[in-house]
Amino acid sequence: MPNARTPSIHIQRQTFHEMDFIIKDTDTSVANAIRRVAIAEVPTMAIDLVHIQVNTSCLHDEFLAHRLGLVPLTSHRVDEFEYTRDCPYCSDHCLHCSVTFSLDVQCTTDEETVTVTSQDLVNSDATESQLAASVQPVHLSLEKDHMESSSSGIVLAKLAKGQRIQLTAIAKKGIGKEHAKWSPVCTISYKTDPTVQFDLTKLNAVLSERAKRALVASSDECLAIDPKTNQLVYETAFIRGRISLPLDCVKKMTILVSECAGDPCAVLVYNNDPNQFYFSLETTGALSSEDVLRHTLRVVQRKLNQLSAHLQSTFQENLHALF
Ligand SMILES: [Zn+2]
């Protein structure tokens, strides 16, 4: 049976980098579409082209270019950039579709080594355009660092005495489908409610005190006895962690309920068709968790609109062919 209710999103916990949310009244296909779109189809800015002028470090040019590509860049105004391939203002790259960074670090000091980090990337377009100035490397890998402002940037290379790296890096707009460096999420995953659960009201009515204690002992900490009411309850970890009831516990329940002259099948609740999805999202810092979710829903909506329009025109064509 198709679910006729409108899906809804409930945000449980939210920080700049992380978000836990629940999507209710939908099915696995929608939940998975949201997960996949967040990974692969939300645009961000990332370094795509590197011109290396000097590289006397121990890293190859390609290695360095790859590392630069993986540095997350703040992309909260990414919608205002054009994709370079579609840019109507240029044939190569311009301020409407790219941001240029320069880096020049040399180890000439008395120190043994110099560490080249994302802090050394200088936005060369920042003075020319506010839009370009909004794109900066994300130096802070952790929320904690953000609070303490103690991050020293993402390490790109280490230079020994006399070594130097001088390069120009061009950041462009892209999506994770083209290359993972454009993906705004580190992880996004969902869990559903446990497939098999007990109807605790029925179970509490059937089982004796001794049987309840025996069931708790075999439940691997999924069940507990409420000391006030002396009734069986689910452990919070069972619900919050969406873990399954152990098979031993289900077997034990069958034996105990049969002993107490009850019907084991009546106590089991099956959830073959989950309609609640508990999401956990962590971003790279390029976009806030809220922005990632908003962009994701917009992309899903756009795709559905395109599909709907396509179906409509196909239907009309077929109709004309018939009459
Ligand atoms: Zn352009």
Side-chain angles (χ1 to χ4, degrees), residues 13-19 138-151 282-285 287-289:
R13 186 177 71 91
Q14 183 183 356
T15 64
F16 184 84
H17 289 95
E18 293 170 341
M19 186 193 272
V138 178
H139 309 301
L140 312 160
S141 54
L142 294 169
E143 198 82 13
K144 190 162 70 67
D145 288 342
H146 195 65
M147 303 292 281
E148 293 170 3
S149 303
S150 60
S151 172
E282 186 186 344
T283 77
T284 58
L287 292 171
S288 69
S289 54

Side-chain angles (χ1 to χ4, degrees), residues 82-84 86-98:
E82 302 282 345
Y83 285 101
T84 309
D86 303 331
C87 184
Y89 307 101
C90 67
S91 56
D92 185 26
H93 67 89
C94 65
L95 283 176
H96 295 281
C97 62
S98 70

Side-chain angles (χ1 to χ4, degrees), residues 211-264:
K212 283 178 191 167
R213 279 197 299 276
L215 190 61
V216 168
S218 68
S219 75
D220 199 15
E221 299 182 352
C222 285
L223 291 169
I225 292 178
D226 187 337
K228 287 180 192 159
T229 57
N230 237 3
Q231 299 282 293
L232 281 171
V233 287
Y234 281 125
E235 278 279 16
T236 355
F238 172 72
I239 296 299
R240 288 186 59 198
R242 262 67 67 179
I243 48 177
S244 315
L245 279 171
L247 190 59
D248 280 351
C249 181
V250 179
K251 283 181 185 168
K252 188 80 177 175
M253 182 280 294
T254 317
I255 297 165
L256 292 169
V257 170
S258 303
E259 278 176 7
C260 298
D263 177 11

